[in-house]
Amino acid sequence: MTTSPSTPGRASPNDTVVAGICCLVLGLAILLAVPPVADVPGSSGTVPAVGSATWYAILVAVAVQSAAVATSTRKPRTAVALVILAALLLAGVAPGDLVSVTAVPETAAAYLLAVTSGHRLRNGTAAALFAGVTVATALNAVRSGAAGPLVALGLGVGQGLIVVGVPLLIALVVVGRREVHAAHEREIAALTGEREALVASAVAAERVALARDLHDIAAHHLSGIAMLAAALGRQIDDRPTARESADDIRAQSMAVLGDLRRMVGLLRDDDMAPLAERSLRAIPDLLAPRRTDGHGIGLTVRPDGADLGDGVSALAQVVGYHMVQEALANASLHAPGARCSVMLDGTADDRVAITVRNDRAPGPVPVPRREGFGLIGMSERAALVGASVDYGPTPGGGWQVLLVLPRERPSHHQRLTGGVTS
């Protein structure tokens, strides 16, 4: 049986229609197959012949029961009542051995009732179904003369346990498993939603940090513009119009700078390092305390002694600085005690490559208390300045992060050498 998307374990209309058709086909097959086999010399003659009035009465009862099963999705209890009523009328009007064919739709009705109601199945409904099958079976046995009242009652109880009890039990087990599966899927969806929320929170926090960095850079440039405008105004005393233009430039720069400070001031962290201390030139200073503390961190700069920040925008340098900082923090968390190496490669004309690599941890790695989102932050920062970041495991079991920063103009060293890289 398939289930509807909204209610775990609930039978769909297509299921009940197929079940009703199957009950009718199976019942008709039994009605056609049993009478010829039972019509042998010495038989009791309680099985009606094919085409007789009793045979048609049984066929009509089975058809009514099958139709009730086919429409049991919307009103399952009404369908069960029709199934029981047809069985009782048939046992009273045309008793005989062939009446037991009604057990087919009765079994289907019991199963669909439990599947449709699930754990909301009322005990009264199940008891009524069991009692109806029991009474119908006992009445048929008494009316056909197959057994006395007590024996007929025992046969009815046994028939009820088989036709009603077993399908109900199987259906409730199926519904229970489906509900557990649905609960598991809801739990997975909740965990997925929680992770997406954490990722969104990490991205938002990283963008706030980027806004702070952008504020520092814009404030630096606007301050320089204001100073140049003030100096220009002192040099053009003989031209009042030009002096007024220089004053306007200075006033506008100061106004924009003030607005920028007010807008981004709430994002300021008191413990943030100044902008000059978060550049590519400051990376060796970032590694120095770690190296003196005994951490195995190697540093390679190519070309030797070059100013890698030359030609790289201030914001891109902040991105490179934070990438090294975050990569080393991740290495200490996920591979404590492992040797790390940092390579700053500025030999290319148009880019600076920064590689942070750590070896496999020498001992067992503790499970982090929480999942970090440092790599997501690196990607956000790299996208802001047009850089590219790549990360992944190394063949030796370690981890590597590669950040490629674009140069806005050739470096001083490359201008002197005509753009030839070493």
Side-chain angles (χ1 to χ4, degrees):
M1 297 287 179
T2 58
T3 60
S4 67
S6 59
T7 306
R10 184 179 179 86
S12 68
N14 292 336
D15 291 335
T16 55
V17 169
V18 172
I21 294 174
C22 291
C23 290
L24 180 59
V25 172
L26 183 57
L28 180 59
I30 295 174
L31 289 175
L32 292 174
V34 172
V37 175
D39 188 16
V40 294
S43 63
S44 61
T46 57
V47 176
V50 176
S52 63
T54 303
W55 186 89
Y56 276 113
I58 298 174
L59 178 60
V60 170
V62 172
V64 171
Q65 290 178 320
S66 300
V69 169
T71 60
S72 61
T73 300
R74 290 177 294 180
K75 296 182 178 180
R77 291 173 178 80
T78 302
V80 169
L82 290 175
V83 169
I84 296 174
L85 180 60
L88 289 173
L89 291 175
L90 184 60
V93 174
D97 294 340
L98 204 56
V99 173
S100 59
V101 73
T102 58
V104 174
E106 290 169 356
T107 302
Y111 179 83
L112 291 176
L113 173 65
V115 168
T116 302
S117 302
H119 294 295
R120 296 176 289 106
L121 178 64
R122 297 178 180 176
N123 295 331
T125 305
L129 180 60
F130 176 82
V133 173
T134 301
V135 172
T137 303
L139 179 61
N140 179 68
V142 172
R143 292 276 297 165
S144 63
L150 293 179
V151 176
L153 181 61
L155 291 175
V157 172
Q159 184 81 348
L161 291 175
I162 295 174
V163 174
V164 179
V166 174
L168 286 178
L169 179 61
I170 294 175
L172 291 177
V173 171
V174 171
V175 170
R177 290 178 62 87
R178 288 176 177 174
E179 290 180 347
V180 169
H181 179 70
H184 181 63
E185 289 184 343
R186 290 194 296 269
E187 182 181 2
I188 292 177
L191 292 176
T192 302
E194 181 182 2
R195 172 168 175 78
E196 290 177 352
L198 291 175
V199 170
S201 176
V203 170
E206 195 62 32
R207 289 177 178 175
V208 169
L210 290 173
R212 294 195 300 262
D213 295 336
L214 185 60
H215 163 265
D216 291 340
I217 295 167
H220 173 74
H221 289 299
L222 287 174
S223 298
I225 293 173
M227 292 177 62
L228 290 175
L232 180 63
R234 295 189 181 94
Q235 297 174 9
I236 52 177
D237 293 336
D238 56 340
R239 295 187 179 183
T241 304
R243 181 182 180 87
E244 290 177 0
S245 298
D247 290 341
D248 289 340
I249 294 174
R250 182 175 182 275
Q252 291 293 333
S253 300
M254 295 301 295
V256 173
L257 181 59
D259 291 340
L260 186 61
R261 285 174 175 170
R262 282 189 293 272
M263 291 176 61
V264 190
L266 295 177
L267 306 178
R268 173 61 53 195
D269 281 347
D270 295 336
D271 58 348
M272 284 187 61
L275 183 62
E277 298 180 10
R278 291 178 285 134
S279 62
L280 297 184
R281 186 182 303 176
I283 289 179
D285 297 332
L286 172 66
L287 304 182
R290 300 172 181 263
R291 302 174 75 180
T292 56
D293 290 343
H295 294 81
I297 302 178
L299 175 63
T300 304
V301 180
R302 299 175 56 192
D304 188 19
D307 180 10
L308 299 180
D310 191 11
V312 181
S313 68
L315 185 58
Q317 292 192 53
V318 172
V319 170
Y321 180 90
H322 281 296
M323 189 280 285
V324 174
Q325 189 177 45
E326 185 68 30
L328 293 177
N330 288 342
S332 63
L333 178 65
H334 298 283
R339 177 174 176 78
C340 302
S341 62
V342 178
M343 176 179 288
L344 309 177
D345 188 355
T347 56
D349 294 350
D350 58 347
R351 64 186 181 275
V352 174
I354 305 175
T355 305
V356 180
R357 182 185 295 110
N358 64 269
D359 297 337
R360 181 196 295 270
V365 179
V367 178
R369 294 182 180 179
R370 61 178 180 87
E371 184 178 7
F373 297 94
L375 297 176
I376 296 176
M378 292 181 194
S379 301
E380 285 287 317
R381 287 179 174 271
L384 177 67
V385 298
S388 62
V389 62
D390 187 21
Y391 47 81
T394 61
W399 189 264
Q400 174 179 296
V401 180
L402 171 63
L403 176 68
V404 179
L405 298 173
R407 291 187 190 271
E408 296 182 348
R409 62 183 186 280
S411 66
H412 177 70
H413 170 75
Q414 291 164 348
R415 291 196 296 270
L416 292 178
T417 58
V420 179
T421 60
S422 57

